[in-house]
Amino acid sequence: GAGVSQSPSNKVTEKGKDVELRCDPISGHTALYWYRQSLGQGLEFLIYFQGNSAPDKSGLPSDRFSAERTGGSVSTLTIQRTQQEDSAVYLCASSLGAVGLNTGELFFGEGSRLTVL
Amino acid sequence: GDSVTQMEGPVTLSEEAFLTINCTYTATGYPSLFWYVQYPGEGLQLLLKATKADDKGSNKGFEATYRKETTSFHLEKGSVQVSDSAVYFCALRGGSNYKLTFGKGTLLTVNP
């Protein structure tokens, strides 16, 4: 597609359930990022992929969070045993290469809004 | 570690007013600095950037100058329009050259 696509756009779940969030980056973009946007907290870095590898997953808040990327394209962020504090908008972004190697421009999707009841 | 502090919003202005959104940063080395904008219902998009001290980034009437001595990158526009209503994020690329560190965002509302 023309831009970064994320699904679902909205997800309401019950505490303790697992959720999967999907990101389809711009074709040809090798770098992929997940950020979390919480009310009053700005954008919090979660994980960075270069191809299918994740050189930096230091931002994942706990071991309930995991992410994978397959075929150098689609990425899935999984949150197990969701908690209310996981409620946020999860943003995916892609770029041609790591931001240090290009203009620094990340292309963002519209996000997946997660609400944990 | 790297961090970005920007003025808290919300900011409400009348059309044609002057806009300043303050942004200061902490980083090792010589970071690159960015402003991203998020219009309602859309993803974040790059507004402007500056890669070295004294550089001025500009786009769509917005400007920001990289001030190393004050570690600042304030966003300005001389005459805002209703269509500028959005959330503005200051960001930096610092020592780890593969990711951006963002501020908390500033909501701007421009009234006709």
Side-chain angles (χ1 to χ4, degrees):
Chain A
V4 177
S5 177
Q6 292 188 245
S7 62
S9 54
N10 276 288
K11 176 73 176 178
V12 180
T13 190
E14 293 180 347
K15 177 181 172 181
K17 301 284 190 183
D18 297 351
V19 297
E20 284 189 352
L21 307 176
R22 176 189 167 106
C23 173
D24 206 336
I26 293 172
S27 178
H29 280 193
T30 61
L32 186 147
Y33 302 79
W34 284 98
Y35 282 84
R36 180 167 70 174
Q37 185 177 16
S38 305
L39 194 62
Q41 296 300 313
L43 271 70
E44 175 188 12
F45 169 81
L46 298 179
I47 188 169
Y48 156 64
F49 287 93
Q50 182 60 42
N52 292 336
S53 301
D56 186 352
K57 52 180 77 173
S58 63
L60 295 177
S62 74
D63 59 8
R64 297 186 295 104
F65 288 72
S66 63
E68 65 175 10
R69 189 179 185 195
T70 56
S73 181
V74 173
S75 176
T76 302
L77 177 68
T78 301
I79 309 172
Q80 296 179 308
R81 305 181 302 282
T82 51
Q83 303 295 312
Q84 289 182 334
E85 61 263 28
D86 299 334
S87 297
V89 177
Y90 289 84
L91 297 174
C92 177
S94 69
S95 66
L96 276 172
V99 292
L101 302 178
N102 61 35
T103 62
E105 181 165 13
L106 299 186
F107 294 83
F108 282 84
E110 293 182 24
S112 293
R113 180 177 297 278
L114 174 65
T115 303
V116 182
L117 302 177
Chain B
D2 298 341
S3 68
V4 175
T5 302
Q6 60 183 104
M7 65 186 288
E8 301 214 4
V11 175
T12 303
L13 297 174
S14 298
E15 207 164 23
E16 299 183 3
F18 183 85
L19 168 72
T20 299
I21 300 178
N22 290 337
C23 171
T24 57
Y25 66 89
T26 302
T28 55
Y30 302 95
S32 294
L33 302 173
F34 307 84
W35 278 99
Y36 276 74
V37 59
Q38 186 177 29
Y39 297 106
E42 299 183 14
L44 276 81
Q45 57 188 270
L46 179 65
L47 179 61
L48 54 84
K49 68 183 175 88
T51 57
K52 61 183 188 297
D54 299 326
D55 267 3
K56 178 185 285 187
S58 61
N59 186 24
K60 299 182 179 181
F62 290 89
E63 292 183 339
T65 301
Y66 188 147
R67 300 288 187 200
K68 188 169 183 293
E69 62 277 12
T70 54
T71 61
S72 65
F73 193 55
H74 305 322
L75 182 68
E76 296 182 337
K77 186 174 186 182
S79 177
V80 294
Q81 304 301 311
V82 173
S83 57
D84 294 326
S85 298
V87 181
Y88 292 82
F89 293 88
C90 186
L92 69 83
R93 184 187 75 216
S96 64
N97 65 359
Y98 54 81
K99 71 181 180 184
L100 298 183
T101 299
F102 288 85
K104 292 185 178 181
T106 302
L107 173 63
L108 169 67
T109 301
V110 180
N111 295 318

